[in-house]
Amino acid sequence: MTDVLTYVLPLMLFALLPYRAVAQTYSHVTLGSSLTAVGNNSFWASPSGEFAFGFQQFRTGGFLLAIWFNKIPEKTGLFVLNNPDGKQIWSADFAGEVSYAAMLDTGNFVLTSRDSIYLWESFDHPTDTILPTHMLNTGSQIVARFSEKSYSNGRFLLKLQADGDLILYTTSFPTDSINFNYWSTGTVGSGFQLFFDQSGYINLIARNGSKLYELSSNTASTKDFYQRAILEYDGVFRHYVYTKSADSSRGKWPMAWYPLLLIPANICMSITARTGSGACGFNSYCELGDDQRPNCKCPPGYGFLDPNNTMSGCKQNFVTQNCGKASQDRISFILKR
């Protein structure tokens, strides 16, 4: 399955954006250029060809407007999206006059003014993923998608709160309102920015620039490895690397996305709230698998609400008995250890 970098933009207008100076060489996408959602061959690549912006087909007749890693088999992935009738259904909102667009080698897609000022950029609107050079400020958040195959907002979010604490929350799905805190840095009053730096470190930074909390240390350089950090649909924040060359792996690294970091280490034991659905949804229980992912199960007499999404919870497979009325039905009880 296509592993999209989920910079898939919500079809909503954004607030006016702050300007940021451009300090990078890139190829320009001129005004009037367009992409069409036909197959997987309509995209604009960054100068190195490592990133691309365009359409990715993810089901019959369905497309994601996304950014992805373009030089690996797993196409890991935003803009004005029009339907076949030419009716606009989403647009980037910004102040100023655009001169050109650019897909940068950082994975950031930008709209730029004549004076080389960023008027709009995809790094300001992440969904579930951050990349090296990406920075989340206080008040920012990323939201996990609903399931492996659904890119709708899911049941978990990572938020750098205004008070400086970086927290993983469950949500009161299907709303995005927070429910239960199952991990935090405990940096109330001091956290300022979450920074995924160019060397591959992910740190929580104070206002004075000092490091407060190291989420992930560098064991693989960005020179030799593609890197991304994602809040996945199972509620775990993972830092992945993918070797750029089979020669550079030296037998240690597989030619696939490899996790360097998992927060929390055991999602099944981390969500202990008395309210909410837990890691696997209502009426279910969770066991950690050998792949460090939750293995969701239903108790006897229950089955999955959605067999294609075992994290959606369970439903009863029996008729509920009614004690308020006389019944001729024979009731049997089975005790299981």
Side-chain angles (χ1 to χ4, degrees), residues 50-66:
E50 292 188 345
F51 290 94
F53 168 89
F55 289 99
Q56 277 286 314
Q57 189 167 9
F58 74 106
R59 63 174 181 244
T60 304
F63 288 86
L64 297 175
L65 188 56

Side-chain angles (χ1 to χ4, degrees), residues 33 52 72 77 126 132 140 145 153 157-158 172 182-184 189 201 207 211 238 252 261 263 280 301 316 326 330:
S33 301
I72 59 177
S140 299
R145 67 188 191 222
N153 283 355
L157 65 84
L158 174 68
S172 299
Y182 61 96
W183 178 89
S184 75
Y201 291 86
R207 189 175 294 274
K211 182 172 70 174
R238 293 180 175 89
K252 178 182 178 182
L261 166 81
I263 298 177
C280 288
Q316 65 185 41
R330 304 180 70 178

Side-chain angles (χ1 to χ4, degrees), residues 37-292:
V38 179
N40 290 324
N41 297 314
S42 185
F43 61 85
W44 296 320
S46 67
S48 67
E50 292 188 345
F51 290 94
F53 168 89
F55 289 99
Q56 277 286 314
Q57 189 167 9
F58 74 106
R59 63 174 181 244
T60 304
F63 288 86
L64 297 175
L65 188 56
I67 295 168
W68 62 87
F69 289 92
N70 198 42
K71 287 189 174 181
I72 59 177
E74 297 88 349
K75 300 302 182 186
T76 305
L78 8 169
F79 209 64
V80 177
L81 180 63
N82 285 45
N83 68 13
D85 299 325
K87 181 181 178 181
Q88 179 179 300
I89 58 175
W90 177 86
S91 66
D93 189 17
F94 54 87
E97 182 178 349
V98 174
S99 180
Y100 56 87
M103 181 69 252
L104 309 184
D105 277 331
T106 58
N108 193 13
F109 187 77
V110 299
L111 302 180
T112 308
S113 72
R114 186 177 302 173
D115 298 327
S116 295
I117 301 295
Y118 291 177
L119 302 176
W120 183 94
E121 56 182 301
S122 61
F123 272 14
D124 281 341
H125 305 282
T127 52
D128 63 359
T129 302
I130 59 174
L131 298 172
T133 74
H134 202 156
M135 187 178 297
L136 295 181
N137 296 312
T138 51
S140 299
Q141 67 183 36
I142 56 176
V143 181
R145 67 188 191 222
F146 179 66
S147 69
E148 185 177 5
K149 297 181 180 181
S150 172
Y151 294 91
S152 301
N153 283 355
R155 299 186 295 118
F156 308 95
L157 65 84
L158 174 68
K159 184 171 185 176
L160 180 53
Q161 298 191 146
D163 64 9
D165 205 3
L166 181 67
I167 299 182
L168 280 167
Y169 284 107
T170 61
T171 65
S172 299
F173 185 83
T175 71
D176 290 334
S177 59
I178 60 176
N179 181 42
F180 175 69
N181 164 0
Y182 61 96
W183 178 89
S184 75
T185 55
T187 51
V188 174
S190 53
F192 179 61
Q193 291 175 327
L194 180 65
F195 185 37
F196 193 166
D197 70 26
Q198 200 159 6
S199 298
Y201 291 86
I202 305 176
N203 293 313
L204 185 61
I205 305 298
R207 189 175 294 274
N208 64 5
S210 62
K211 182 172 70 174
L212 290 173
Y213 193 102
E214 183 179 271
L215 277 76
S216 185
S217 59
N218 179 28
T219 58
S221 72
T222 52
K223 176 183 177 181
D224 297 323
F225 292 85
Y226 298 113
Q227 304 201 27
R228 63 188 174 108
I230 176 174
L231 179 59
E232 297 199 272
Y233 60 89
D234 59 5
V236 180
F237 182 71
R238 293 180 175 89
H239 178 188
Y240 284 102
V241 297
Y242 193 118
T243 182
K244 293 183 179 181
S245 168
D247 296 334
S248 67
S249 68
R250 301 181 184 89
K252 178 182 178 182
W253 303 97
M255 293 297 292
W257 286 110
Y258 182 83
L260 294 180
L261 166 81
L262 296 86
I263 298 177
N266 188 335
I267 187 67
C268 293
M269 299 301 293
S270 297
I271 301 178
T272 58
R274 294 184 178 180
T275 60
S277 60
C280 288
F282 290 105
N283 303 317
S284 64
Y285 64 98
C286 178
E287 295 179 349
L288 198 67
D290 293 337
D291 59 358
Q292 303 304 302

